[in-house]
């Protein structure tokens, strides 16, 4: 199995590097975009070009593999998670950042086999940050191994958190409540605008936890492998096992920290994917 995963990873990594040029060549200058679910949920032609390139290259190399891509799902393709090798792709994670030229956007490519995340690639081509991980083989930033921090207490944790891209009033109420909790109980809050890069910061040990309600599988599939391979944990924000289709996630450097954050935050339950 490891040999096969290595082969899958090698093809995906080469395609991600190629697609990185599409993002870095267009990060500056005004970019046209289309609205999706609301006025802060955007998509650009670059999102679609990156996804088409990744899906085209991977399906040519591995015809029996399945795909769940953010923009193909947005265009109506049903994304079904089965036991088959399934590529879960966010072509530009942090599209709002990309549109504004804020240099924190990433290509996020995860692979599941038997519904288990086994490969994660998160690439910010603007800053030259290539985060990679394969199950059982460690986590890396630009080929240097990385590890989570050893922070165990909420009071000394730097937590990444997002306002999100939906205007749902109930979700937004939980966001504001949790922001107050984070500011009053933790060391600090950071918002990168990209779930994948937030998780990469946890894997790097630069942040100690990340949680969010409303994300999709493509935002977090790659980051889940990266955090776990860096020695961290990924669970449901209420404390149970992580469910990649639940649209809920809590990742942290240690289980102690994850459990303390879980006990302190306000929960929100989006409709599952
Ligand atoms: C974004 C996520 C971010 C979340 C936004 C949005 P996109 O992904 O990375 O964490 O808060 O709502 O989903 O839409 O830029 O690919």
């Amino acid at each position: 199995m490891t040999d096969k995963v290595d082969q899958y990873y090698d093809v995906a990594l080469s395609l991600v590097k190629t697609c990185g040029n599409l993002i870095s060549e267009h990060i500056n200058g005004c970019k046209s975009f289309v609205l999706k679910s609301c006025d802060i949920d955007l998509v650009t032609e670059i999102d679609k070009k990156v996804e088409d390139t990744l899906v085209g290259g991977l399906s040519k190399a591995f015809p029996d593999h399945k795909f769940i891509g953010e923009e193909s799902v947005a265009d109506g393709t049903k994304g079904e998670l089965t036991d088959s090798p399934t590529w879960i792709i966010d072509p530009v994670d942090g599209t709002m950042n990309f549109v504004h030229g804020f240099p924190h956007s990433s290509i996020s490519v995860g692979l599941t086999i038997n519904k288990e995340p086994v490969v994660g690639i998160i690439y910010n081509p603007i800053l030259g940050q290539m985060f990679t991980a394969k199950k059982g083989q460690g986590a890396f930033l630009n080929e240097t191994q990385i590890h989570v921090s050893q922070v165990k207490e909420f009071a000394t944790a730097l937590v990444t958190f997002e306002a999100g891209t939906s205007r749902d009033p109930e979700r937004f109420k939980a966001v504001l409540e949790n922001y107050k909790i984070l500011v009053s109980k933790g060391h600090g809050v950071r918002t990168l605008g990209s779930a994948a890069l937030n998780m990469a910061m946890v894997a790097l040990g630069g942040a100690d936890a990340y949680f969010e309600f409303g994300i999709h599988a493509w935002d977090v599939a790659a980051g889940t492998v990266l955090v776990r391979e860096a020695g961290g944990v990924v669970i449901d924000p209420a404390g149970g096992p992580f469910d990649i289709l639940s649209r809920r996630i809590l990742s942290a450097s240690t289980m102690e920290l994850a459990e303390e954050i879980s006990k302190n935050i306000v929960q929100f339950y989006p409709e599952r994917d």
Side-chain angles (χ1 to χ4, degrees):
M1 171 71 91
T2 305
D3 291 348
K4 276 194 169 185
V5 169
D6 288 345
Q7 185 194 357
Y8 301 155
Y9 168 86
D10 291 343
V11 172
L13 185 64
S14 171
L15 286 163
V16 166
K17 287 176 180 174
T18 302
C19 290
N21 297 328
L22 279 172
I23 293 176
S24 48
E25 285 163 8
H26 293 86
I27 186 65
N28 297 314
C30 183
K31 286 168 274 307
S32 60
F33 57 84
V34 171
L35 300 185
K36 294 198 295 188
S37 62
C38 69
D39 65 317
I40 52 174
D41 186 11
L42 316 179
V43 61
T44 71
E45 273 312 304
I46 299 298
D47 293 73
K48 294 187 176 193
K49 270 185 191 167
V50 169
E51 185 166 319
D52 291 347
T53 304
L54 292 170
V55 173
L58 288 166
S59 50
K60 186 176 173 193
F62 312 116
D64 60 333
H65 286 196
K66 308 294 183 199
F67 298 89
I68 299 176
E70 176 176 12
E71 305 316 336
S72 47
V73 169
D75 288 343
T77 304
K78 174 134 179 64
E80 190 184 358
L81 186 61
T82 66
D83 288 344
S84 302
T86 304
W87 296 95
I88 305 179
I89 296 170
D90 190 335
V92 181
D93 188 46
T95 298
M96 181 67 80
N97 292 347
F98 176 64
V99 166
H100 284 269
F102 186 71
H104 294 280
S105 296
S106 63
I107 300 172
S108 181
V109 176
L111 174 68
T112 60
I113 297 176
N114 298 326
K115 300 189 181 71
E116 175 70 21
V118 295
V119 167
I121 300 172
I122 297 172
Y123 182 35
N124 178 348
I126 307 145
L127 301 182
Q129 296 173 324
M130 178 68 83
F131 293 92
T132 59
K134 289 179 271 188
K135 187 176 178 181
Q137 299 187 45
F140 299 85
L141 167 57
N142 297 340
E143 299 179 0
T144 298
Q145 189 154 17
I146 58 176
H147 299 281
V148 294
S149 73
Q150 289 310 305
V151 170
K152 292 182 169 61
E153 294 177 348
F154 195 177
T156 56
L158 186 64
V159 182
T160 56
F161 180 64
E162 295 289 333
T165 46
S166 96
R167 296 276 193 203
D168 174 294
E170 284 308 304
R171 191 191 69 87
F172 209 60
K173 200 170 140 193
V175 165
L176 295 179
E177 280 302 307
N178 282 324
Y179 195 81
K180 279 192 279 187
I181 291 165
L182 290 171
V183 167
S184 55
K185 290 179 178 262
H187 246 191
V189 191
R190 296 293 182 269
T191 296
L192 275 182
S194 161
L197 289 175
N198 284 328
M199 295 186 81
M201 292 303 110
V202 175
L204 181 64
D208 306 305
Y210 157 72
F211 73 96
E212 188 169 352
F213 303 120
I215 42 86
H216 296 276
W218 48 76
D219 293 311
V220 298
T224 296
V225 187
L226 200 73
V227 169
R228 286 173 173 166
E229 286 304 312
V233 297
V234 179
I235 63 171
D236 180 83
F242 173 54
D243 169 359
I244 201 165
L245 297 179
S246 68
R247 302 192 63 200
R248 293 161 45 84
I249 191 165
L250 167 57
S251 59
S253 50
T254 61
M255 186 56 86
E256 295 90 337
L257 176 58
E259 288 171 348
E260 188 180 357
I261 290 175
S262 173
K263 287 181 185 129
N264 279 276
I265 58 176
V266 170
Q267 299 290 332
F268 179 73
Y269 292 86
E271 187 180 335
R272 278 174 57 81
D273 276 339

